[in-house]
């Protein structure tokens, strides 16, 4: 069990560029979550997958954001036409239903800076 | 509305003193409750959780929390602070009407420990 991993750890981009982040969950976990954390705030829920199905999306997830989990393993979060307001830490978590009461375990996060 | 509140954005203690971080939730039915810790530029680490079993929950690093339904609280305590406890602490809840999946976080409390 290597834990949840996220890549890259840091991303600096210019406004208007597209960025993509990757999350690899704990191997036996079939639920995967994305959260966004801005400076001085707690994380906010963005979306979650059960296997490859995206079951819920927050209204925070504008049409510039898209998340996928094509084979029910790793997930990607893409932001198109980035804006300065997208600067934040993007956190991924995974859990297993019925195990540990679906407790979510978090990765180290990807810090995005939009210039 | 279902929510979670952390009183005090900063708490300062001396090394060896009692740590008390406050968390209150708003819900008509008892939720699942979690405390996570975040060190600078890192993800969230689970400290402990309440998922409807024992109301006094012991976690890692000597922390514990007590679920009090009558007070809708889940305060985090540690008898004796250590310098390494300095970090940001987040209380989080999940609610039955969302299948206990989506976590709602408080705004966090930064714990400062002085020698």
């Amino acid at each position: 069990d290597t834990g949840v991993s996220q890549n890259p750890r840091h991303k600096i981009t210019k406004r208007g560029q597209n960025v993509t982040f990757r999350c690899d969950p704990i191997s036996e976990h079939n639920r995967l979550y994305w959260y966004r954390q801005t400076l001085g705030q707690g994380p906010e829920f963005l979306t979650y997958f059960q296997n490859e199905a995206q079951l819920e999306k927050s209204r925070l997830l504008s049409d510039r954001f898209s998340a996928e989990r094509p084979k029910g393993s790793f997930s990607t979060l893409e932001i198109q036409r980035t804006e300065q307001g997208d600067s934040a830490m993007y956190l991924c978590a995974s859990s297993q239903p019925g195990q540990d009461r679906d407790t979510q375990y978090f990765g180290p996060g990807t810090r995005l800076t939009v210039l | 509305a279902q929510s979670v509140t952390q009183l005090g954005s900063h708490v300062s203690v001396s090394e060896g003193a009692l740590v008390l971080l406050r968390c209150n939730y708003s819900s008509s039915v008892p939720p699942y409750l979690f405390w996570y810790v975040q060190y600078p530029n890192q993800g969230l680490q689970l400290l402990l959780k309440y998922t409807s079993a024992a109301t006094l929950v012991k976690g890692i690093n000597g922390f514990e929390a007590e679920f009090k339904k009558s007070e809708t609280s889940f305060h985090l305590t540690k008898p004796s602070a250590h310098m390494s406890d300095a970090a940001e602490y987040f209380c989080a809840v999940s609610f039955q009407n969302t299948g206990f999946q989506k976590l709602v976080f408080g705004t966090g409390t930064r714990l400062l420990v002085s020698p």
Side-chain angles (χ1 to χ4, degrees):
Chain A
D1 179 0
T2 57
V4 178
S5 62
Q6 293 186 245
N7 287 288
R9 293 292 308 278
H10 303 274
K11 178 70 177 179
I12 300 174
T13 191
K14 294 182 179 179
R15 190 176 51 186
Q17 298 295 304
N18 299 344
V19 295
T20 300
F21 311 139
R22 175 176 170 134
C23 171
D24 287 87
I26 293 171
S27 57
E28 66 268 27
H29 287 184
N30 66 13
R31 286 185 176 160
L32 186 148
Y33 310 77
W34 286 98
Y35 291 83
R36 181 173 68 185
Q37 184 181 22
T38 53
L39 205 60
Q41 300 297 316
E44 295 175 292
F45 171 81
L46 291 178
T47 188
Y48 106 91
F49 292 84
Q50 179 156 315
N51 298 312
E52 65 276 10
Q54 188 173 19
L55 296 186
E56 187 174 351
K57 292 194 294 185
S58 163
R59 56 187 170 81
L60 293 175
L61 213 65
S62 76
D63 56 5
R64 296 186 297 106
F65 288 71
S66 62
E68 293 182 345
R69 194 182 183 199
K71 297 182 180 179
S73 57
F74 72 91
S75 175
T76 57
L77 178 67
E78 181 183 16
I79 309 174
Q80 296 182 327
R81 306 181 302 282
T82 53
E83 301 173 356
Q84 287 185 326
D86 297 332
S87 295
M89 174 81 90
Y90 290 84
L91 294 163
C92 177
S94 69
S95 71
Q96 179 64 14
Q99 178 187 98
D100 223 7
R101 296 296 181 111
D102 221 353
T103 298
Q104 294 180 31
Y105 295 91
F106 283 79
T110 295
R111 182 167 295 284
L112 173 66
T113 302
V114 181
L115 302 176
Chain B
Q2 296 170 324
S3 63
V4 58
T5 303
Q6 290 184 245
L7 289 177
S9 58
H10 293 80
V11 169
S12 295
V13 299
S14 299
E15 193 172 20
L18 171 71
V19 175
L20 170 61
L21 305 181
R22 299 178 187 274
C23 174
N24 289 86
Y25 68 90
S26 172
S27 175
S28 58
V29 294
Y32 289 172
L33 293 145
F34 306 83
W35 276 99
Y36 287 88
V37 61
Q38 186 176 38
Y39 296 97
N41 296 313
Q42 294 188 26
L44 302 173
Q45 181 183 8
L46 180 69
L47 277 178
L48 49 77
K49 61 188 178 188
Y50 167 78
T51 55
S52 73
T55 56
L56 181 61
V57 181
K58 294 187 184 298
I60 62 171
N61 302 339
F63 284 94
E64 64 181 39
E66 186 172 8
F67 171 67
K68 291 186 177 181
K69 183 179 178 181
S70 60
E71 299 177 8
T72 60
S73 68
F74 190 57
H75 302 330
L76 182 70
T77 61
K78 182 174 180 178
S80 176
H82 192 273
M83 296 294 290
S84 61
D85 295 327
E88 187 93 23
Y89 291 80
F90 291 96
C91 181
V93 297
S94 61
F95 298 102
Q96 192 173 46
N97 66 348
T98 59
F100 294 110
Q101 286 147 16
K102 179 171 63 180
L103 288 175
V104 176
F105 285 85
T107 51
T109 298
R110 183 168 297 279
L111 178 64
L112 306 168
V113 183
S114 56

